[in-house]
Amino acid sequence: MAKLVFTDKHFSGQSYELTQEKTSIGRSKENRLVIRDDSVSSKHCEILANGPEIIVRDLGSRNGTFIDGVRINGQGPVKQGHKIRFGMVEAQLQLDPSDEQEDQSSLTAVHLHQKVLREQQKAKRTPPAPASTPLGGEGGSEVSPDEEQTILLPNQPASPAPSGSNSRTAPNAPGSGSSSGKNVVLVIIGAGLVALLAGVLMWLAKR
């Protein structure tokens, strides 16, 4: 079974098994593999798989599809260990040993690609079937309920530990005994000074 193992820091630790002959990849929910990253186009590329033979076909993406750092023009083959980059999101292709030893005389991915094109042409001549309910209950999805869809989200950074201790009391916090006592003393002194000043003014006025 072929598998994409994501290696960049935003999606590291996530993987996707290429269980279907054709896997559509992009940011839109209409794709089989949805990558939530701004560098990935809505309909970015397709991966055609037949055992150990893998072909990646770019769908006119804005930021391009790369195989081992080389941007492909149209489509290109991918082998074990090759790195595929969708915009800025990078993954590595991994194959099971049984896939690598499969008879190379079997149907190639190129023939598979031609088969897909013929099926697409046939589908254009066939009236479309009623739309099925997509995942999440939202309309407009091309993925039918029996097809497995995977959505990759960027890894979330760890939450920073709270600074300080909850048991520590902030200085001059409301309700502090020492602070309340100081405030009462200041009020009494202020009232006394006001009364003294008023008496002096009344005495001067009588003279």
Side-chain angles (χ1 to χ4, degrees), residues 6 64 72 75 87-88 95 141 207:
F6 288 82
I72 62 175
Q75 65 184 34
M88 300 300 295
L95 298 174
S141 173
R207 293 187 62 183

Side-chain angles (χ1 to χ4, degrees), residues 5-20:
V5 178
F6 288 82
T7 57
D8 68 283
K9 61 180 181 179
H10 298 296
F11 295 88
S12 61
Q14 303 187 58
S15 62
Y16 179 80
E17 292 187 352
L18 301 171
T19 58
Q20 304 295 324

Side-chain angles (χ1 to χ4, degrees), residues 8 19 30-31 36 51 55 64 67 72 75-76 87 90 107 114 119 124 131 140 151 153-154 158 172-173 177 192 205:
D8 68 283
T19 58
E30 297 176 354
N31 296 285
R36 294 292 171 81
I55 282 182
I67 299 177
I72 62 175
Q75 65 184 34
E90 189 173 77
L107 181 66
Q114 294 174 348
E119 291 177 351
K124 290 179 180 180
I151 300 178
L153 299 175
N172 299 328

Side-chain angles (χ1 to χ4, degrees), residues 66-82:
F66 300 77
I67 299 177
D68 275 357
V70 179
R71 185 168 184 166
I72 62 175
N73 182 17
Q75 65 184 34
V78 191
K79 301 297 183 182
Q80 161 68 15
H82 281 182

